[in-house]
Amino acid sequence: MVVNNDDATRQIFSRCLLNCLHIPLWRCYIRFIKKVNERKGMEGQEETRKAFDFMLSYLGVDISSGPVWMEYIAFLKSLPALSSQEESHRMTAVRKVYQKAIITPTHHIEQLWRDYENFENSVSRQLAKGLVSEYQPKFNSARAVYRERKKYVDEIDCNMLAVPPTGSSKEELQWMSWRRLIAFEKGNPQRIDSASSNKRIIFTYEQCLMYLYHYPDVWYDYAMWHASNGSIDAAIKVFQRALKALPDSDMLKFAYAELEESRGSLQSAKKIYESLLSDGVNATALAHIQFIRFLRRNEGVEAARKHFLDARKSPNCTYHVYVAYAMMAFCLDKDPKIAHNVFEDGMKRFMNEPTYILKYADFLARLNDDRNIRALFERALSTLPLEESAEVWKRFIHFEQTYGDLASMLKVEKRRKEALSQTGEDGASTLESSLQDVVSRYSFMDLWPCTSSDLDNLTRQEWLAKNISKNSEKSSLPGGTGFLDTGSAGFMSHSIPSTKVVYPDTSQMVIYDPSQILGILPTATASGLPANPSNPVSVASGAPTSVFDEILKATPAALIAFLANLPAVDGPTPDVDIVLSVCLESDLPTVPLVKSGATPAQVSGGPVPTTSDLSGSSKSHAFSNSSLKHTRDKQSGKRKDYDRQEDNESTTVQSQPMPKDFFRIRQIQKARGATSSQTGSASYGSAISGDLSGSTG
């Protein structure tokens, strides 16, 4: 435009205008038309008017089109009128544009309404009163719709580029914003006629595709909207544009072929399938399967069979093609013999595919051919690699549990354990026999011979049994749903709930042993804790030794003693009762009340257990009756002492303020509850202050 190359400018506009429904681009187009036709007199004015009409027919419903309406009205008002008839025509044209503009929800709708009122009053006040009262409700409706639409439009980034989706949060937010705007327009909030509403919906879809050009779901939704409104030809055009935008999208090709087939255009649908198959070398197994089904529906059994025979020669033909054609022949053609032959033919190529074996077994089960099912399992297990045979063994055992006798069932279970024990699979239990074998045999669908708690305990026990001979520091719980499917053959193979259960990632879990952790602290010897220089602390946490020096200095003596007294855990989780018993039996240092002016260093002192104390208490696994004083004779005396302690404000726990540490509060409550429920009185002072003995009624 700068160098006045009008032909090149026209070519650029012809390429981009209809593809880019963007107000700034189209206003640039109007400026270009005005510039080209400014010296052509009446002919040029007519060309400019046609350009405005052309633009508003495409972008007139845009929420940002207000300036274009105002510019068009100003252009019409500027046209010369040499006669009263021309003046009347001009006023009529201006009035029509105003009346269209004031019922279009745009950013400038209120300004356009004020201009329209002034225009009508300038022409005729008497006529203006009737016209304004007629269009007032329409304007109010458009203004209300504008306020609602603006909420959706404000969420859209008009500077977003049309790129293939990457899964970023910004792209997902934009996709959701456009979907909300399209749903809003489909609801016809302004309650206008269906033609105008459809025009507005089409415009919204087209604008959406400017940004989500590489999103197949938007193309499909657009085409299906046309089809649901009876515009099959328009839907076909949308699919054709979609395949130009996304030529590698098999989803859109299948949907396009389905639409052509649904309207009876079988040749067009067949061409689409043939384009999927292309030269036959790069054709996918799924394309072959869907084309076989298409031929079976529309051209008969022989056409489908012919293509199956050709598809077998394709280098990309997988066992899926055999399974699909065999089940089609069995279910649709009611010909089990052909289906059986197809499965047998596939066995020559896919003997080492466990999934194919299982599909073949399902087919034989539907035929109630138990002899061939057993023969199939024996053939498959004799050729399958051991590491790939777990699923086949599981299905074999499930079959025997359902249809076999007890002897064959036990025999197959034993063979499975012996086979999988060579590969170290989870299914190979180290136990000679397991109660989970019984659970597997006598469960059905979601019916179990035990409670869920029993099932959890069995699973945990089996895992512990498998890892009993392993290094406890390197053993870890298996993650995922496979943890519950590790019992005897076929355990939970047919009764896993449909709801997906999310398990924590326990692949890095190690058994907790506080004696090892405290034993490697470099300054533990100074505090009376055992030191182990040969095992540096950086192995446990990767931190340098100086960091642990600072941590130990800042750690209260009571906390160090508490950690030192914790027992080693022999399973995934500690026993709460054991931990509490250790707390009750331990003599933790007494921390006196902080007086005004006292520094933390003056308060942090206290006795620390010796090495012998640590070694003795860290291995405790049961309650010791030595710390529980079951003497009813002293209860009354203790109660009196307790009352005196409250009055004299001594150093006991009862006279001290309630501790702010939630763990210590919980420790006191549990100690009181445990001792009161057992004996009615207990001595829990050693766990708190080392010298306090209280009575709980």
Side-chain angles (χ1 to χ4, degrees):
M1 290 175 66
V2 172
V3 298
N4 297 319
N5 190 345
D6 297 341
D7 292 335
T9 305
R10 283 191 178 91
Q11 290 178 2
I12 294 173
F13 279 127
S14 66
R15 288 168 49 198
C16 68
L17 277 181
L18 299 181
N19 295 326
C20 185
L21 303 178
H22 204 224
I23 293 292
L25 176 65
W26 282 76
R27 294 190 71 180
C28 178
Y29 164 71
I30 292 295
R31 290 196 300 270
F32 168 72
I33 294 298
K34 283 183 176 181
K35 176 184 176 182
V36 171
N37 296 287
E38 62 182 353
R39 298 180 181 179
K40 293 184 179 181
M42 295 294 294
E43 182 182 356
Q45 292 172 357
E46 183 65 18
E47 289 294 326
T48 304
R49 187 186 66 79
K50 290 181 179 178
F52 270 113
D53 289 337
F54 176 68
M55 176 180 179
L56 291 173
S57 66
Y58 279 92
L59 271 76
V61 297
D62 192 286
I63 197 172
S64 302
S65 63
V68 180
W69 288 102
M70 299 171 69
E71 187 178 353
Y72 187 22
I73 292 170
F75 168 76
L76 292 176
K77 288 180 178 180
S78 66
L79 294 178
L82 302 178
S83 63
S84 59
Q85 187 177 5
E86 291 181 356
E87 177 68 17
S88 177
H89 285 314
R90 186 184 68 173
M91 290 301 174
T92 302
V94 172
R95 179 177 288 111
K96 288 182 178 179
V97 176
Y98 263 127
Q99 290 172 351
K100 289 181 180 178
I102 60 177
I103 63 173
T104 303
T106 63
H107 293 307
H108 296 75
I109 187 171
E110 294 187 358
Q111 183 177 349
L112 284 166
W113 174 253
R114 290 192 296 267
D115 293 346
Y116 174 61
E117 285 184 316
N118 295 333
F119 167 75
E120 292 292 359
N121 288 323
S122 66
V123 174
S124 171
R125 287 185 175 272
Q126 187 174 1
L127 181 63
K129 187 175 181 181
L131 291 173
V132 168
S133 62
E134 178 185 353
Y135 276 88
Q136 181 78 46
K138 298 179 182 179
F139 159 73
N140 291 337
S141 175
R143 181 175 59 181
V145 171
Y146 158 71
R147 291 171 179 172
E148 288 296 321
R149 180 184 293 174
K150 186 176 183 297
K151 297 177 183 178
Y152 298 102
V153 174
D154 289 345
E155 297 177 356
I156 294 173
D157 181 12
C158 295
N159 296 318
M160 177 182 174
L161 294 177
V163 296
T166 61
S168 67
S169 58
K170 180 180 179 181
E171 291 175 352
E172 292 176 351
L173 290 174
Q174 289 299 298
W175 179 85
M176 294 172 62
S177 300
W178 277 109
R179 299 290 290 189
R180 284 194 289 265
L181 178 59
I182 291 172
F184 172 76
E185 295 296 349
K186 285 181 178 179
N188 191 8
Q190 203 171 344
R191 300 297 182 265
I192 55 180
D193 59 281
S194 59
S196 301
S197 176
N198 290 343
K199 182 179 179 181
R200 188 166 289 173
I201 294 171
I202 291 172
F203 173 76
T204 308
Y205 268 117
E206 293 292 343
Q207 273 201 325
C208 176
L209 288 171
M210 290 167 48
Y211 305 94
L212 306 182
Y213 188 72
H214 299 279
Y215 284 68
D217 61 305
V218 179
W219 286 104
Y220 177 76
D221 189 53
Y222 187 19
M224 288 297 100
W225 176 81
H226 275 300
S228 63
N229 283 275
S231 304
I232 301 297
D233 293 335
I236 296 298
K237 291 180 180 179
V238 171
F239 271 123
Q240 291 172 349
R241 291 171 54 197
L243 292 179
K244 289 182 180 178
L246 301 167
D248 298 329
S249 177
D250 290 348
M251 296 183 294
L252 291 176
K253 290 180 181 178
F254 287 133
Y256 182 20
E258 181 183 274
L259 182 62
E260 292 282 17
E261 184 182 355
S262 65
R263 70 168 186 165
S265 182
L266 300 180
Q267 292 302 318
S268 299
K270 191 172 183 178
K271 288 181 180 178
I272 298 172
Y273 280 112
E274 290 173 348
S275 68
L276 279 165
L277 298 172
S278 61
D279 55 358
V281 177
N282 298 320
T284 62
L286 183 60
H288 284 295
I289 292 171
Q290 298 302 332
F291 190 42
I292 289 173
R293 292 177 175 176
F294 170 80
L295 293 174
R296 170 66 179 75
R297 289 194 301 266
N298 299 285
E299 298 184 13
V301 178
E302 287 301 320
R305 179 175 177 273
K306 182 179 179 181
H307 184 75
F308 169 70
L309 295 176
D310 294 337
R312 293 189 309 169
K313 304 173 185 177
S314 173
N316 294 329
C317 179
T318 63
Y319 68 88
H320 305 84
V321 179
Y322 283 79
V323 174
Y325 181 71
M327 296 310 296
M328 185 181 69
F330 176 58
C331 298
L332 300 179
D333 303 335
K334 312 300 181 184
D335 195 340
K337 184 176 180 181
I338 291 180
H340 191 276
N341 293 337
V342 171
F343 271 117
E344 279 298 321
D345 185 50
M347 286 291 288
K348 300 174 184 177
R349 297 178 58 180
F350 308 112
M351 176 67 79
N352 293 329
E353 290 287 348
T355 307
Y356 183 77
I357 303 299
L358 299 179
K359 290 295 181 182
Y360 191 7
D362 290 338
F363 165 73
L364 293 175
R366 297 179 68 174
L367 293 180
N368 205 18
D369 191 353
D370 57 331
R371 178 178 297 181
N372 281 328
I373 292 177
R374 289 188 175 90
L376 172 65
F377 282 132
E378 295 293 349
R379 289 165 58 192
L381 292 173
S382 64
T383 58
L384 276 175
L386 289 177
E387 60 272 8
E388 297 180 6
S389 62
E391 288 297 322
V392 179
W393 276 113
K394 185 187 299 182
R395 184 67 63 86
F396 192 10
I397 290 181
H398 176 54
F399 171 78
E400 292 293 349
Q401 290 173 350
T402 309
Y403 305 106
D405 54 25
L406 183 59
S408 62
M409 176 171 50
L410 297 177
K411 181 179 178 182
V412 173
E413 287 184 2
K414 183 178 180 181
R415 288 175 55 195
R416 174 187 181 268
K417 287 186 178 182
E418 292 174 352
L420 296 184
S421 62
Q422 303 175 18
T423 64
E425 291 286 338
D426 288 341
S429 176
T430 56
L431 297 176
E432 185 67 23
S433 60
S434 172
L435 191 57
Q436 285 191 354
D437 298 339
V438 178
V439 174
S440 176
R441 293 182 203 127
Y442 294 98
S443 60
F444 180 75
M445 296 179 66
D446 58 344
L447 303 178
W448 297 85
C450 60
T451 64
S452 59
S453 177
D454 293 337
L455 191 62
D456 292 340
N457 291 334
L458 287 174
T459 308
R460 184 183 300 277
Q461 290 166 5
E462 185 186 23
W463 176 82
L464 291 173
K466 290 177 184 177
N467 294 274
I468 197 169
S469 60
K470 297 181 181 179
N471 188 344
S472 60
E473 294 184 0
K474 295 182 179 180
S475 62
S476 61
L477 280 171
T481 55
F483 180 44
L484 292 178
D485 195 25
T486 59
S488 58
F491 179 58
M492 293 183 70
S493 62
H494 62 287
S495 56
I496 296 178
S498 59
T499 305
K500 182 179 180 181
V501 181
V502 180
Y503 291 88
D505 181 11
T506 56
S507 58
Q508 302 299 322
M509 183 180 290
V510 295
I511 291 181
Y512 172 70
D513 190 350
S515 61
Q516 297 178 4
I517 298 177
L518 292 176
I520 57 179
L521 292 175
T523 56
T525 307
S527 302
L529 299 176
N532 188 2
S534 63
N535 191 5
V537 72
S538 58
V539 175
S541 62
T545 339
S546 59
V547 176
F548 280 87
D549 290 334
E550 299 298 327
I551 293 175
L552 193 64
K553 291 178 181 177
T555 304
L559 179 58
I560 296 177
F562 171 72
L563 294 176
N565 288 335
L566 286 179
V569 180
D570 295 332
T573 56
D575 190 334
V576 178
D577 293 332
I578 295 177
V579 175
L580 287 178
S581 68
V582 173
C583 296
L584 294 173
E585 295 172 4
S586 303
D587 292 330
L588 302 183
T590 303
V591 181
L593 291 174
V594 181
K595 299 181 181 179
S596 59
T599 62
Q602 295 171 343
V603 184
S604 61
V608 179
T610 61
T611 307
S612 60
D613 295 334
L614 289 175
S615 60
S617 60
S618 62
K619 300 301 179 181
S620 175
H621 293 277
F623 279 102
S624 177
N625 294 328
S626 61
S627 64
L628 302 176
K629 304 180 185 302
H630 306 288
T631 55
R632 293 184 176 270
D633 298 336
K634 297 182 180 181
Q635 285 186 5
S636 59
K638 291 178 181 177
R639 176 62 63 186
K640 294 177 182 179
D641 294 339
Y642 171 69
D643 296 335
R644 287 195 298 271
Q645 287 166 357
E646 286 185 341
D647 296 334
N648 299 332
E649 294 183 357
S650 62
T651 59
T652 61
V653 175
Q654 285 83 352
S655 63
Q656 294 178 2
M658 193 67 180
K660 296 182 180 180
D661 186 353
F662 180 77
F663 177 78
R664 295 194 64 187
I665 296 174
R666 184 167 175 266
Q667 188 181 35
I668 294 172
Q669 292 174 348
K670 286 207 171 188
R672 290 175 178 174
T675 55
S676 63
S677 62
Q678 291 180 9
T679 64
S681 64
S683 173
Y684 53 86
S686 59
I688 307 300
S689 62
D691 56 357
L692 174 65
S693 176
S695 174
T696 57

